[in-house]
């Protein structure tokens, strides 16, 4: 069974930076897509950035130029580096995953809280 564990959430001021980590276990990591999602109160969950097992990355428009997703296939970790954070980035950030040949996310972590506020 695949497990995903997030860490790195915090309270940060607007304009600040933060790096989230998602440790994945129980998967063939090099064949596994991982996506960072976020969910704010009263809003639907949205995918912020995702990266395939081969390293191809994609971002939601609001994250382009500010967020960078990367992966360490030796350590089975996916990172989300966030910069120039805005209050509207505040949410629970949740790590999700699925094997590359599938299209729907099937595995989820519990999330880590990111709050952007002065």
């Amino acid at each position: 069974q695949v497990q995903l564990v997030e860490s790195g959430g915090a309270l940060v001021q607007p304009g600040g930076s933060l790096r989230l980590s998602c440790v994945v276990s129980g998967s063939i990591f090099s064949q596994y897509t991982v996506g960072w999602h976020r969910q704010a109160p009263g809003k639907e969950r949205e995918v912020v950035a995702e990266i395939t097992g081969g390293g191809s990355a994609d971002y939601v428009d609001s994250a382009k130029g500010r967020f960078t997703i990367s992966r360490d296939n030796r350590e089975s970790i996916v990172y989300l580096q966030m910069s120039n954070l805005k209050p509207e980035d505040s949410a629970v950030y949740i790590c999700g995953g699925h094997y590359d040949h599938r299209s729907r996310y099937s595995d989820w972590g519990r999330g880590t809280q990111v709050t952007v506020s002065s």
Side-chain angles (χ1 to χ4, degrees), residues 6 16-17 36 40 45 47 70 98-99:
E6 306 92 334
S17 298
W36 280 100
R45 183 177 296 186
V47 58
S70 62
H98 65 81
Y99 280 103

Side-chain angles (χ1 to χ4, degrees), residues 2-105:
V2 180
Q3 291 188 321
L4 300 94
V5 180
E6 306 92 334
S7 62
L11 170 64
V12 63
Q13 291 188 339
S17 298
L18 206 57
R19 189 177 80 161
L20 306 182
S21 299
C22 175
V23 177
V24 182
S25 60
S27 75
I28 305 173
F29 192 67
S30 62
Q31 301 175 15
Y32 195 75
T33 292
V34 176
W36 280 100
H37 301 68
R38 65 186 178 190
Q39 187 158 22
K43 294 188 177 181
E44 291 188 358
R45 183 177 296 186
E46 65 169 347
V47 58
V48 175
E50 59 185 3
I51 187 166
T52 66
S56 295
D58 199 10
Y59 301 87
V60 68
D61 284 347
S62 61
K64 290 178 180 177
R66 299 189 301 127
F67 294 4
T68 301
I69 191 170
S70 62
R71 63 190 292 148
D72 182 338
N73 279 1
R74 286 189 297 179
E75 299 293 333
S76 298
I77 301 176
V78 171
Y79 300 102
L80 184 67
Q81 179 68 47
M82 304 185 291
S83 60
N84 191 21
L85 283 161
K86 305 175 181 180
E88 52 264 40
D89 294 317
S90 298
V92 177
Y93 282 70
I94 305 160
C95 194
H98 65 81
Y99 280 103
D100 290 344
H101 65 278
R102 297 183 174 175
S103 59
R104 296 190 65 178
Y105 284 91

